Amino acid sequence: MSVGNSLDVLSLELLADSGLIDYFIDSNMAGKGVIFLLGIMNCYALSLMWSKYQELKKAAVNNARDEKRINDLPSIYDYDDALFAGEGSPYLVLCSRAMEAARRTKSTGEVRMNYVENAIRRALAEVGDRYEGKMYWLATIVAGAPFVGLLGTVWGVMDAFGTMESGGATIEHLAPGVSGALLTTVAALCVAIPIVFAYNGLLGKARGEMTKLENFASNLADRIELEKNA
């Protein structure tokens, strides 16, 4: 075996034995910057996922509590915001808006359901925006992280092969730079893959709660119309 081949084998063995920290050290400044950016994106995504999960969980608990209290009213026209003191729920937002519209039109002679339904639709849109609020940031991170990592990889490989002009064409010179460049893609995938599963789970939960909200709104409108002459 020639001396050159021996050096190549030795370089590969050293590369195989090195860890992620070594790859990070071998990456260029652009690669290090990309990895730091991915770290910030990951931390923000984790905090956002946790806060959104807690928000949806709290809304579901409060909705279940207030739905029972609303259903226990002898008549929906007995509803009063003062009866539901404490932490509110999206169901109370819908009920409050709907009953405000119902009472306003009833004072003119008869409940006009088109006004009540418009008020319910506006409240549904507001609550829907709240349910899915900031979820677009998770979608942006999932879609953008791989491209950010790819940018770091391409930049790092470009720098590594740029050393060929100064006589650094051997694998001993290229391997550290290439491995450091590839680290940015690995980091990007480690950020994007878990977040995409969490995002889909949160989105499914938000849409499930939105379906329950729409069903409640439909039942509320029916009750207002059926009991308007009671």
Side-chain angles (χ1 to χ4, degrees):
M1 182 181 294
S2 66
V3 175
N5 289 336
S6 299
L7 289 174
D8 289 345
V9 172
L10 179 60
S11 298
L12 289 174
E13 290 176 351
L14 290 174
L15 182 62
D17 292 337
S18 62
L20 294 178
I21 295 178
D22 297 320
Y23 298 156
F24 177 77
I25 294 172
D26 289 334
S27 62
N28 61 4
M29 290 303 297
K32 291 182 174 69
V34 165
I35 291 175
F36 278 121
L37 176 60
L38 290 169
I40 293 172
M41 293 168 65
N42 188 58
C43 291
Y44 177 73
L46 290 174
S47 64
L48 180 58
M49 288 186 293
W50 177 251
S51 63
K52 180 57 63 176
Y53 171 77
Q54 292 295 322
E55 179 185 344
L56 292 174
K57 181 180 178 181
K58 182 183 293 185
V61 172
N62 291 343
N63 282 341
R65 177 201 64 203
D66 291 334
E67 182 178 22
K68 183 178 185 305
R69 296 163 69 186
I70 292 170
N71 290 337
D72 288 342
L73 292 174
S75 170
I76 192 62
Y77 289 90
D78 294 334
Y79 175 86
D80 192 311
D81 291 337
L83 298 174
F84 297 88
E87 187 175 11
S89 68
Y91 281 11
L92 288 184
V93 173
L94 260 67
C95 200
S96 179
R97 299 281 186 84
M99 293 313 301
E100 181 183 358
R103 291 192 177 103
R104 187 185 305 122
T105 58
K106 191 174 184 180
S107 64
T108 63
E110 185 178 352
V111 175
R112 299 178 64 178
M113 287 306 299
N114 58 323
Y115 284 98
V116 175
E117 290 169 356
N118 287 338
I120 290 175
R121 277 195 290 269
R122 287 192 294 269
L124 276 174
E126 291 177 13
V127 175
D129 286 342
R130 193 186 312 164
Y131 275 169
E132 297 188 13
K134 296 185 179 180
M135 294 283 281
Y136 61 90
W137 282 113
L138 290 179
T140 301
I141 292 173
V142 167
F147 289 103
V148 173
L150 182 61
L151 173 63
T153 295
V154 172
W155 198 321
V157 170
M158 181 177 63
D159 277 358
F161 279 96
T163 62
M164 294 177 65
E165 297 179 359
S166 58
T170 66
I171 192 170
E172 181 181 5
H173 287 84
L174 290 177
V178 172
S179 62
L182 292 174
L183 180 62
T184 60
T185 296
V186 174
L189 293 177
C190 288
V191 169
I193 291 174
I195 294 176
V196 72
F197 288 108
Y199 169 76
N200 287 331
L202 287 172
L203 189 61
K205 184 173 179 61
R207 289 177 176 173
E209 291 300 320
M210 194 64 197
T211 299
K212 294 178 183 178
L213 193 69
E214 290 171 352
N215 291 336
F216 173 80
S218 177
N219 292 332
L220 177 63
D222 290 342
R223 191 175 177 187
I224 291 173
E225 184 169 16
L226 290 172
E227 298 177 7
K228 65 183 178 180
N229 297 320

